[in-house]
Amino acid sequence: MTQLTKTTSLFNISQSSLNMAALWAIALGTACLTAAPATAESVSAAPPPELLSTEGAQARMMQSNNLRTLTQMVPSAACNLHAGIAPDMSQDLVNFGSDEFDRILSALKLGNPDLGITQPETRRMTLADITALENT
């Protein structure tokens, strides 16, 4: 595959799949918070201590937020690469972002102590969301 084809493919991916990935990352980031209905007090207050003390819950929320950040970084780097702006650095950012996205998504599903997620996901709905994202 030529560099132009790779760049064009990455640009197309950034326009479609990563937009969907951003929506899934937001959904995954909030999945831990859906145990209780939102109230005015719970929206403005810090998460309850029992949520933070749940093993890996805070790390899962942080890593889900990192997914959202990556869905912004990768398309931006792909656009820069497509435009010929700092091509080496842009390619490195696309590669890093894609690899990191996969690593975090795997950690959310299977657990990864290096990322602070010590247990695999057990919620069926969250697992279904992760699987759907993996298949996009």
Side-chain angles (χ1 to χ4, degrees):
M1 183 181 288
T2 66
Q3 182 65 29
L4 181 57
T5 306
K6 284 182 186 176
T7 304
T8 303
S9 296
L10 290 171
F11 185 75
N12 290 337
I13 288 170
S14 70
Q15 295 299 311
S16 59
S17 296
L18 291 178
N19 287 338
M20 180 56 103
L23 295 174
W24 283 109
I26 292 167
L28 288 171
T30 58
C32 294
L33 300 176
T34 59
T39 63
E41 295 80 23
S42 66
V43 171
S44 62
E50 59 272 10
L51 178 64
L52 295 179
S53 65
T54 303
E55 191 169 340
Q58 188 172 21
R60 284 181 186 280
M61 290 172 26
M62 288 176 20
Q63 293 303 332
S64 295
N65 188 50
N66 288 342
L67 285 181
R68 186 175 54 205
T69 301
L70 290 169
T71 63
Q72 296 168 8
M73 183 189 78
V74 171
S76 175
C79 288
N80 286 340
L81 184 61
H82 184 71
I85 300 169
D88 292 337
M89 182 170 48
S90 296
Q91 183 66 57
D92 289 345
L93 285 172
V94 168
N95 293 341
F96 167 78
S98 298
D99 292 344
E100 189 67 4
F101 190 92
D102 291 340
R103 184 172 86 107
I104 292 171
L105 195 59
S106 175
L108 290 171
K109 185 175 185 178
L110 305 172
N112 182 335
D114 294 340
L115 296 178
I117 302 171
T118 57
Q119 300 293 320
E121 181 58 59
T122 58
R123 294 184 66 238
R124 288 180 305 142
M125 290 177 60
T126 303
L127 286 169
D129 288 345
I130 292 171
T131 300
L133 180 55
E134 290 172 332
N135 294 331
T136 58

